[in-house]
Amino acid sequence: SGRGVEDEDLDHGLPTPVRGLSGAKRWSRMTYADAYGKYRRTMAVVTSGAGERTAGFRAELMNAGQWELEYYFPGYAGRGRRSTSRSPGTWKLTIQDSSGEREVEFDAERAEVGWNSLGRFEMATGEATVSISDETDGDFIQADAIRWTPVNRGESDEIAAVMRDNP
């Protein structure tokens, strides 16, 4: 019996798992030792495209004001090798809340493994989304985790976001 795409096992709307980037022609779940997570270390990956495929995160911000946004970068297998390895390049992200939309770029080539600040943003109370497209000057994009922390408040106020389903 042939299985169609609609019959695949899904993880938050993503096919699971893929082995290597060659299988990631659409956003797919990949197990990776340095991915963010307590029990299961996975991330979403896709090969470069024209910006038509997006993955996203959502969080509920309890207060309006200035928030710092951080992006978790798990690194990649070819990091530090000669130019024969794949390169992540620069990624395009869109931050949206009820007050509007902001574009930001993330230079994955220069990013540290772990949490990287994307900047501080004036945000409205309520749902905030961060979308990342498949458009890059590199070979692939990874979506793992984001973290919002209110500026001038304690670390206990940080809000981690979860991957949202994207068709």
Side-chain angles (χ1 to χ4, degrees):
S1 71
R3 287 178 52 151
V5 172
E6 60 275 359
D7 297 324
E8 290 184 64
D9 292 329
L10 299 178
D11 182 1
H12 289 280
L14 299 170
T16 181
V18 296
R19 295 185 196 272
L21 291 172
S22 60
K25 300 296 183 204
R26 60 185 173 148
W27 282 102
S28 302
R29 180 74 53 197
M30 176 185 279
T31 300
Y32 190 67
D34 291 326
Y36 185 77
K38 186 172 183 177
Y39 300 107
R40 188 171 67 161
R41 299 196 177 258
T42 63
M43 63 182 166
V45 297
V46 69
T47 53
S48 63
E52 297 170 354
R53 299 172 292 181
T54 62
F57 305 90
R58 68 173 164 233
E60 193 70 26
L61 302 180
M62 304 312 259
N63 300 305
Q66 195 172 61
W67 291 76
E68 181 173 10
L69 175 60
E70 294 172 278
Y71 193 85
Y72 189 85
F73 180 65
Y76 56 98
R79 190 175 192 141
R81 296 186 186 162
R82 297 187 185 255
S83 62
T84 57
S85 66
R86 293 181 184 234
S87 143
T90 300
W91 304 340
K92 297 178 187 290
L93 294 94
T94 303
I95 303 164
Q96 187 169 9
D97 66 1
S98 63
S99 68
E101 203 173 87
R102 302 146 195 88
E103 303 271 329
V104 66
E105 289 188 345
F106 177 69
D107 186 352
E109 289 290 326
R110 296 190 177 159
E112 295 292 324
V113 172
W115 292 107
N116 291 267
S117 179
L118 295 177
R120 293 179 173 189
F121 303 91
E122 197 64 36
M123 302 296 293
T125 301
E127 186 175 88
T129 61
V130 177
S131 300
I132 183 167
S133 82
D134 65 355
E135 184 178 351
T136 179
D137 56 359
D139 299 309
F140 64 91
I141 298 92
Q142 300 166 323
D144 195 358
I146 64 165
R147 179 169 64 190
W148 289 103
T149 305
V151 175
N152 299 327
R153 295 202 183 142
E155 285 296 315
S156 63
D157 291 334
E158 72 186 29
I159 297 174
V162 296
M163 179 72 65
R164 73 164 191 262
D165 297 343
N166 279 339

